Amino acid sequence: MRRGVMNETVTFQGHSLTYEQPGWHCEVCDEGVLEGEDNAFHDAALHEVMARAKGSPISPLTIRAAREAVGLSQREAGRVFGGGPTAFYKYETAKAVPSDGMANLLHLALERPDLFRKSPRGTTPTPSVSDITLIRRASLNDTLGNIIRRVYPEGPGKENLS
């Protein structure tokens, strides 16, 4: 046996994924031995193909990448994004499929992880100039627009944020 990488294919409910599997591989037969971290590659490939078969709107690896970009444990992610304490374990192992809304939120977290980081305890973040500009642009009805103009009366870049 020699240490190396071989292409392996994992199949679930008619869906297949070929991936590169590190491990000890026999040069004569098709057998191999996986140790330690080698199993993470197989598990990830299996979870990806399971999610495809279940019609998930986002892959388990993308979910994990978004969670880690924000710097959250699976449990914390369930609190921050919603879904409860075991939701992200289930999403990342394809035991459950997240909603389209959750998938959109996680894509946003990948693009802008700063939006999802926790504020220090006991502090209420003051809206930034860019937040106020976004709020003004997003106000779709006159009542909300009027409230926003009165709460933040100064023009863009001149907000009183102290």
Side-chain angles (χ1 to χ4, degrees):
M1 293 195 125
R2 124 185 120 69
R3 182 92 183 139
V5 175
M6 291 195 62
N7 285 340
E8 296 285 340
T9 301
V10 64
T11 302
F12 181 80
Q13 294 181 350
H15 293 263
S16 296
L17 175 67
T18 299
Y19 67 101
E20 296 177 352
Q21 177 63 65
W24 291 95
H25 303 284
C26 180
E27 295 175 5
V28 178
C29 65
D30 219 13
E31 295 296 314
V33 175
L34 306 181
E35 57 185 21
E37 286 295 311
D38 297 339
N39 292 305
F41 296 90
H42 171 77
D43 292 347
L46 178 60
H47 297 148
E48 290 292 301
V49 78
M50 287 171 63
R52 287 181 193 174
K54 293 178 178 183
S56 180
I58 186 170
S59 80
L61 285 174
T62 305
I63 294 167
R64 180 177 174 182
R67 177 180 60 77
E68 289 184 1
V70 176
L72 299 172
S73 68
Q74 289 178 335
R75 206 171 214 21
E76 291 169 327
R79 230 179 13 260
V80 170
F81 293 104
T86 61
F88 276 75
Y89 165 76
K90 292 176 183 177
Y91 297 156
E92 291 177 25
T93 58
K95 290 178 178 20
V97 173
S99 68
D100 289 341
M102 177 65 80
N104 290 337
L105 193 58
L106 293 169
H107 280 116
L108 179 60
L110 271 174
E111 290 180 35
R112 292 284 313 275
D114 57 297
L115 295 176
F116 298 91
R117 294 212 172 91
K118 295 189 285 187
S119 298
R121 275 199 178 284
T123 63
T124 302
T126 304
S128 68
V129 172
S130 62
D131 287 344
I132 294 168
T133 302
L134 284 170
I135 291 168
R136 283 192 179 119
R137 217 176 329 141
S139 60
L140 301 175
N141 66 54
D142 291 336
T143 303
L144 180 58
N146 192 34
I147 292 169
I148 291 167
R149 280 190 296 281
R150 291 184 188 276
V151 173
Y152 297 109
E154 291 87 11
K158 299 178 188 166
E159 284 76 7
N160 180 4
L161 299 177
S162 49

